Amino acid sequence: MKKGLIFLILIITTLTINANEPQEELKFSPEKFDAELHLFIINEAKLSPQEAAKFFPVYREMQNKQRGLYERQRKLVTIMPNDEVSCMKAIKERDDIDLEMKRIQKTYHERFLDLLPASKVYAALKAEDKFYRHVFRRFNRNKPQFNWPHMPQQQRHGQQSHQK
């Protein structure tokens, strides 16, 4: 009980302090991001302090394992294969990373189910997805929009242009 209460107080304090900072001075803070994510999950999944205290250490463990895979994915994006063998190797590496990511998720989802009722685990997973969608939208609102190149309009089947 005390762990959960201390955890909630820490999150609320972090969010309150950061809310008082001027907007132009704000920079990405992993600690703030995690605190917001945890608070969002707690609220959306309606986790009690005891449930949160059991859930988040295992959740953080899962995130740490996933971070290593995200780093490997990021490195793959920078590689520009220049032959068929290199391309095939890069494709297989991407697939292996995706499969490993799913294995980690499955393993940890099973562990979550040992800690919380399935309805709370499901709500926590949905909350995580919802949080990331909100963050992505918020991030995109603050960035200039990318102008996609205009694609030439294709003529409808059977119609031809009769310009002279």
Side-chain angles (χ1 to χ4, degrees):
M1 174 72 179
K2 285 184 180 181
K3 263 185 173 179
L5 197 53
I6 292 171
F7 180 74
L8 284 176
I9 291 170
L10 177 65
I11 289 174
I12 291 169
T13 304
T14 302
L15 291 176
T16 304
I17 290 170
N18 288 328
N20 294 328
E21 294 178 9
Q23 287 291 356
E24 63 274 2
E25 294 179 23
L26 288 181
K27 294 188 182 196
F28 179 75
S29 162
E31 295 80 17
K32 180 183 175 201
F33 182 85
D34 284 343
E36 288 177 0
L37 171 62
H38 292 186
L39 188 58
F40 191 83
I41 291 172
I42 289 168
N43 289 332
E44 290 285 311
K46 297 175 178 47
L47 298 180
S48 69
Q50 298 87 353
E51 290 169 328
K54 290 190 293 187
F55 176 76
F56 283 109
V58 179
Y59 180 79
R60 278 190 294 278
E61 189 179 306
M62 179 185 75
Q63 285 184 312
N64 289 336
K65 287 188 178 183
Q66 289 175 324
R67 273 192 194 103
L69 294 174
Y70 292 138
E71 288 299 319
R72 285 176 51 199
Q73 281 179 330
R74 243 188 311 279
K75 286 179 184 174
L76 274 177
V77 171
T78 63
I79 296 172
M80 297 301 291
N82 55 6
D83 60 34
E84 290 298 310
V85 173
S86 299
C87 288
M88 180 66 77
K89 185 179 175 186
I91 291 168
K92 288 182 178 187
E93 178 72 12
R94 288 176 61 141
D95 290 345
D96 289 344
I97 291 170
D98 288 343
L99 289 171
E100 182 60 24
M101 188 71 73
K102 285 299 176 188
R103 278 189 217 103
I104 289 170
Q105 287 176 344
K106 183 176 182 186
T107 299
Y108 278 90
H109 292 174
E110 290 170 2
R111 288 183 62 189
F112 297 158
L113 291 168
D114 290 338
L115 302 171
L116 301 173
S119 59
K120 296 263 182 150
V121 172
Y122 187 74
L125 296 175
K126 279 182 60 176
E128 178 187 38
D129 291 341
K130 187 176 179 181
F131 179 82
Y132 286 124
R133 280 193 311 273
H134 286 303
V135 168
F136 187 70
R137 277 190 221 121
R138 188 171 65 198
F139 177 76
N140 280 335
R141 269 186 253 142
N142 295 332
K143 295 288 180 185
Q145 295 298 312
F146 178 75
N147 291 323
W148 290 96
H150 293 292
M151 301 297 288
Q153 289 185 341
Q154 294 181 348
Q155 294 179 0
R156 292 186 183 148
H157 182 68
Q159 292 182 344
Q160 295 180 356
S161 176
H162 295 290
Q163 295 178 352
K164 293 185 181 179

